[in-house]
Amino acid sequence: MQDRTYTADAEPGDDVTVAGWVHEIRDLGGIAFLILRDTSGKIQIKFEKDEMDEDLVETGLGVSRESVVKVSGAVEEEPRAPTGVEVTPESVEVVAPADPELPLDPSGKVDADLSTRLDNRTLDLRKDEVQAIFEIRSEILRAVREQFREFRCTEITTPKIVATGTEGGTELFPITYFGEEAFMNQSPQLFKQLIAGSNVERVFEIGPIFRAEEHNTPRHLNEATSIDFEGAFCDQNDAMDVVEGVVKAAYEAIDENCGEQLEALGLEDEFEVPEGDFPRLSYEEAIERINATGELDEQLVWGDDLPTEGEKALGDDVGGHYFITDWPSEIKPFYIKDHDDDSELSTGFDLMHPRMELVSGGQREHRHEKLIEGFEQQGLDPEQFEYYTKMFKYGMPPHAGFGLGGERLIMTILGLDNIREAVLFPRDRQRLSP
Ligand code: ATP
Ligand code: AMO
C-alpha cells in the first residue's frame, strides 16, 4: 500500500489514506468516532451523522472491533481528539472484517490468562504493553550485537542438529537424522571454541538452544535464545568484562531508545541502568554469605550447588548483579579449566541477577591431554568428541567465553514474572504449537 500514511505521520492539512485495526467505536449520538490503530499509534476518525453520506457512516460505524479498515480523508487539528488531530473520512473500506467474538480483548479491558494470550499471540500483540516487550527485545539484540562488534567479535552461526550433547546427557532432545540418532543442540559450546581456535579469535552467536528440561518453571524454556561469546587469548576475567559490557549495553540502549515502550509497560520511573562494576564474589564467599543470612534450613558446605533459595537470599543481600567465581571443579563441565595452582578450583563463573542466574562461563581447558582427562573424569567417551578434541592438537590458544540466556536477560530487565512473556511462541512441556 504505497499511498498509505502511518497514523503518527498524519499532519493537519494533509489528505491521507490510513489503514489499520478498529480499536474502538464511540458513538455519542449525532457524532461518533472510530479510533483506528496501526503500528505507529492511533488516530480518530470523525463521523457527523447528519452531514455525511449515509452509506459511509453505516460502513464506518457498523464495523466490528479489530476489523482492518482503510480510511481516506482530510486531517484536521482537533484538541479534543486523543492525539490532537482527526480525519474526516471521504471513504471507508473494510479490508478484513473481524469476528465479533474475540478470544481475547486487545484493548486490555478484560484480562486474559497467559495460556489464552499465547494461543492468540496475534491479538495479544495488539496490546501496547505486549508489543513494547518485543520492541525492547529487538533493541536489546541490536545493542548486544553492536557491543560485540565493538569488542572486535565476528558473528557466527553453528549447527543446531548435532551428534553429541555437552551440557549433561539428561537434557537432550533426540531426533532421527537419516536413520541415525542425533540431537537438538543444547549449546554452541564446542563449535564456538573450535572457531576461537582459528584466526577468527573472537566470536559471538545469538541463536536457539534446546533443552529437554523436566520441570516447568517460570524461568526455564525448552527452546531458549543463547547469547554466546568465545575469545582466544582471554581468561575468565576478560570474559567477565565482556559480559558486563554486553549486559550494560542492553540497559543503556533501552534507556536511550525505548522511553515510549517503558511507559507502555509502566516502568518509566522504575527502570534503571546498573551503575558501577558488578561485584565478583568467590564461590566460597558466596556460600559463607548465604549461610550468614540464616535463610536456609541447612548450612551449605563446599561442593554444594547453590539452591534457588540460596541464590535468592544472596541476591537480596547483594542487591544488584554480581558474579560468582572460582567454583569447585567437580560441579563445572569438562571444558572449564581448573586453576593452575589448585585442581579442585575451577575458573568457571556465573553472572547473577538478584532474581536468577543469567550467565555461565569460564576459561576453557586448551591443553589436549588435560581435556581428554576431563572427559574421562566426567564419564564421557572422548572418542565421540574426536572432531572437537583433535583440533586441540594443532595450536589451540588459551581461550574463555560465556553463554547468556537471552530471555532471562529480557525478563530480569523488565521484571516479567514469567519467561514465556519474553518469547513470541514459547516451547514448554505443554506447548508445541503455535
Ligand atoms: P448529541 O447532540 O447527540 O450529543 P452532537 O453531534 O451534538 O451529539 P457534540 O455535542 O458536538 O455532539 O459532542 C458530543 C461530545 O463529543 C461532546 O462531549 C464533545 O466535547 C465531544 N466532541 C465533539 N467533537 C469532538 C471531536 N472532534 N473530538 C473529540 N470529541 C469531540
Ligand atoms: P548454561 O547451561 O549455564 O551454560 O547456560 C547458559 C545460560 O543460558 C540460559 N539458559 C536457559 N534459559 C532459559 N531456559 C533454559 N532451559 C535455559 N538453560 C540455560 C541461562 C544460563 O545461565 N556452554 C555453557 C556456557 C559457556 O560456558 O559458554 C552453557 O550452556 O541464562
Side-chain angles (χ1 to χ4, degrees):
M1 277 196 202
Q2 276 169 347
D3 58 350
R4 174 196 172 202
T5 302
Y6 281 120
T7 58
D9 299 335
E11 299 284 347
D14 291 350
D15 277 315
V16 296
T17 298
V18 288
W21 292 263
V22 177
H23 184 67
E24 188 181 6
I25 291 177
R26 282 192 291 133
D27 199 329
L28 305 173
I31 193 165
F33 306 103
L34 183 159
I35 308 297
L36 182 147
R37 186 188 70 234
D38 66 12
T39 191
S40 71
K42 300 189 187 90
I43 200 159
Q44 169 165 292
I45 317 292
K46 175 172 71 175
F47 293 89
E48 283 170 310
K49 294 181 189 171
D50 297 339
E51 286 160 43
M52 284 177 156
D53 177 73
E54 222 173 282
D55 286 348
L56 183 87
V57 172
E58 208 171 297
T59 309
L61 301 180
V63 67
S64 53
R65 280 174 50 219
E66 297 306 319
S67 295
V68 176
V69 294
K70 197 165 134 187
V71 177
S72 301
V75 185
E76 281 154 51
E77 219 172 82
E78 173 50 69
R80 288 170 296 179
T83 59
V85 296
E86 68 184 7
V87 176
T88 304
E90 268 145 36
S91 75
V92 176
E93 182 192 336
V94 180
V95 178
D99 192 325
E101 295 287 322
L102 297 172
L104 76 84
D105 173 18
S107 79
K109 284 177 191 145
V110 185
D111 272 347
D113 61 27
L114 185 58
S115 174
T116 306
R117 292 179 42 208
L118 295 175
D119 285 342
N120 298 281
R121 260 310 200 194
T122 307
L123 290 173
D124 188 42
L125 271 151
R126 291 182 189 168
K127 292 186 250 176
D128 285 345
E129 71 275 21
V130 180
Q131 196 180 330
I133 295 173
F134 293 96
E135 297 290 352
I136 290 175
R137 182 183 163 117
S138 168
E139 177 63 14
I140 290 174
L141 294 178
R142 187 202 61 73
V144 162
R145 277 203 166 84
E146 204 163 282
Q147 186 61 57
F148 275 125
R149 301 300 304 220
E150 274 175 37
F151 285 141
R152 300 185 64 167
C153 299
T154 304
E155 182 161 9
I156 59 168
T157 53
T158 62
K160 302 307 156 203
I161 301 176
V162 295
T164 51
T166 52
E167 311 297 324
T170 54
E171 293 172 5
L172 280 163
F173 281 116
I175 57 166
T176 305
Y177 192 68
F178 301 113
E180 274 187 48
E181 186 179 52
F183 305 98
M184 302 303 291
N185 206 8
Q186 295 167 303
S187 161
Q189 183 61 39
L190 306 188
F191 297 110
K192 64 180 180 171
Q193 287 188 257
L194 292 177
I195 306 308
S198 79
N199 255 43
V200 180
E201 288 198 17
R202 286 177 156 232
V203 296
F204 75 99
E205 174 165 5
I206 302 176
I209 55 169
F210 303 91
R211 302 198 175 192
E213 306 277 2
E214 284 301 316
H215 26 271
N216 224 346
T217 81
R219 60 196 166 91
H220 288 92
L221 292 164
N222 294 108
E223 178 174 348
T225 308
S226 188
I227 300 171
D228 276 90
F229 164 78
E230 203 66 28
F233 306 105
C234 287
D235 65 13
Q236 71 276 23
N237 295 308
D238 300 318
M240 284 189 267
D241 291 344
V242 172
V243 75
E244 192 164 334
V246 164
V247 168
K248 284 182 179 163
Y251 276 89
E252 279 158 12
I254 296 171
D255 194 42
E256 266 171 45
N257 304 321
C258 299
E260 205 180 295
Q261 286 77 15
L262 288 173
E263 215 168 293
L265 287 159
L267 295 175
E268 66 276 25
D269 297 328
E270 255 168 72
F271 178 82
E272 273 175 32
V273 178
E275 272 182 34
D277 295 339
F278 297 164
R280 298 181 185 188
L281 268 64
S282 70
Y283 165 85
E284 195 169 358
E285 286 172 84
I287 56 174
E288 275 167 18
R289 275 177 78 161
I290 294 171
N291 287 338
T293 64
E295 292 286 328
L296 298 192
D297 296 337
E298 255 180 73
Q299 296 271 295
L300 294 172
V301 295
W302 172 266
D304 286 345
D305 216 338
L306 303 189
T308 308
E309 318 86 78
E311 288 178 1
K312 289 228 167 81
L314 186 55
D316 290 342
D317 195 22
V318 178
H321 292 85
Y322 64 98
F323 288 99
I324 304 178
T325 65
D326 306 305
W327 287 75
S329 302
E330 60 178 359
I331 54 174
K332 283 288 170 187
F334 64 86
Y335 49 77
I336 297 281
K337 189 172 175 290
D338 297 336
H339 280 279
D340 289 329
D341 55 0
D342 186 351
S343 64
E344 304 282 290
L345 208 59
S346 81
T347 62
F349 65 83
D350 284 1
L351 173 66
M352 308 294 299
H353 176 276
R355 287 177 67 198
M356 74 192 78
E357 176 197 311
L358 288 181
V359 171
S360 290
Q363 188 174 343
R364 316 308 188 182
E365 182 49 73
H366 66 285
R367 296 160 299 182
H368 183 262
E369 263 169 51
K370 293 271 183 197
L371 185 65
I372 301 288
E373 276 173 32
F375 273 105
E376 284 161 355
Q377 273 163 15
Q378 250 174 50
L380 291 165
D381 177 8
E383 267 181 31
Q384 277 200 319
F385 293 86
E386 220 236 336
Y387 66 92
Y388 165 72
T389 57
K390 73 178 180 196
M391 290 302 150
F392 287 65
K393 294 195 280 190
Y394 310 124
M396 180 59 72
H399 58 284
F402 64 77
L404 158 63
E407 286 79 16
R408 289 195 181 179
L409 179 65
I410 298 163
M411 176 184 185
T412 52
I413 292 180
L414 299 181
L416 305 175
D417 290 334
N418 195 314
I419 196 163
R420 290 160 186 75
E421 301 248 17
V423 195
L424 287 170
F425 299 106
R427 290 289 168 263
D428 65 28
R429 278 201 79 117
Q430 274 83 42
R431 197 163 275 284
L432 191 51
S433 65

